[in-house]
Amino acid sequence: MTSVQGTHLDLPTPDGVADAYLAHPDDGRPHPGVLLYMDVFGLRPSLEEAAGRLAGHGYTVLVPNVMYRAGRAPLVDLPGFIDPAERPEIIERLLPLAQALTPDLAMRDAGAYLDWLAASPLVADGPIGAAGYCMGGVLAVRTAAAHSDRIGAAAAFHAGRLVTEAEDSPHRLVGRSRAELYFGHADQDRSMPADQIAVLERTLEAAGVPYRSELYEGAQHGYTQSDTAAYNAEADQRHWRSLLELFERRL
């Protein structure tokens, strides 16, 4: 692991300015870029720590507040340990903000984030990686499809509703991607049950997309998030191994 530098910054987008966190090796050299998408709880210290950990393996990692239209992060007063069962009002306030981020808005923003990475002297030429958690996993998949010329690898961890009836359901878009895709499903996730995982995998196979789809047994939705009640240390370590292997192969 190399030493890492972290910085808060503001990114211009077509619709305003997104606050973000950037982590990169502290050597002044360009490294492969990664767009790291947040979960619904947003940009906060635990995600900054994750970005720093990834940067320590040799990546320049950008974590935008994708719900910037509603304000700067944090959008709600978050406790140090998030237990939605004890604080249901947190989800009640954040969910409408997440739902307001339509696929069109999110992919317009993604273009701005990728443009920023491409212009940064801290980012090496070549494919960009995308990864995300919960809603961020969906955004990573959509970004790989919408910006297929830029994304070389994309990973989604405990992403829900990857299979819906909508015409622009994420699973219907995977054939547009040129990236290798990785899915780490929680087996205790009502937002991505076994039948939907099967549909996703059949779609990936039919599209000829390089992918891995794995079930994390005993894991709940949110298993990677160390500051939440859903955290599962064993599953989190597995997620790190899978993510680093993917990026090492493709970036």
Side-chain angles (χ1 to χ4, degrees), residues 100-126:
L101 183 65
T102 65
D104 285 345
L105 291 177
M107 290 307 97
R108 194 155 74 222
D109 291 341
Y113 304 148
L114 292 171
D115 285 346
W116 189 93
L117 286 167
S120 172
L122 296 170
V123 178
D125 293 338

Side-chain angles (χ1 to χ4, degrees), residues 26-98:
D26 192 15
D27 59 9
R29 300 203 308 267
H31 295 271
V34 172
L35 179 55
L36 188 63
Y37 281 120
M38 61 188 230
D39 64 347
V40 73
F41 299 120
L43 187 56
R44 60 195 192 280
S46 64
L47 274 183
E48 294 175 7
E49 292 171 8
R53 179 171 177 175
L54 187 52
H57 287 274
Y59 300 96
T60 295
V61 185
L62 181 67
V63 193
N65 167 23
V66 301
M67 296 191 288
Y68 68 88
R69 292 174 182 82
R72 299 180 70 86
L75 295 175
V76 300
D77 182 22
L78 291 173
F81 181 76
I82 305 168
D83 186 348
E86 294 185 0
R87 295 282 304 276
E89 75 278 5
I90 294 175
I91 290 289
E92 290 169 2
R93 290 182 61 189
L94 289 175
L95 196 56
L97 303 180

Side-chain angles (χ1 to χ4, degrees), residues 14-30:
D15 297 328
V17 176
D19 49 313
Y21 182 77
L22 181 74
H24 58 89
D26 192 15
D27 59 9
R29 300 203 308 267

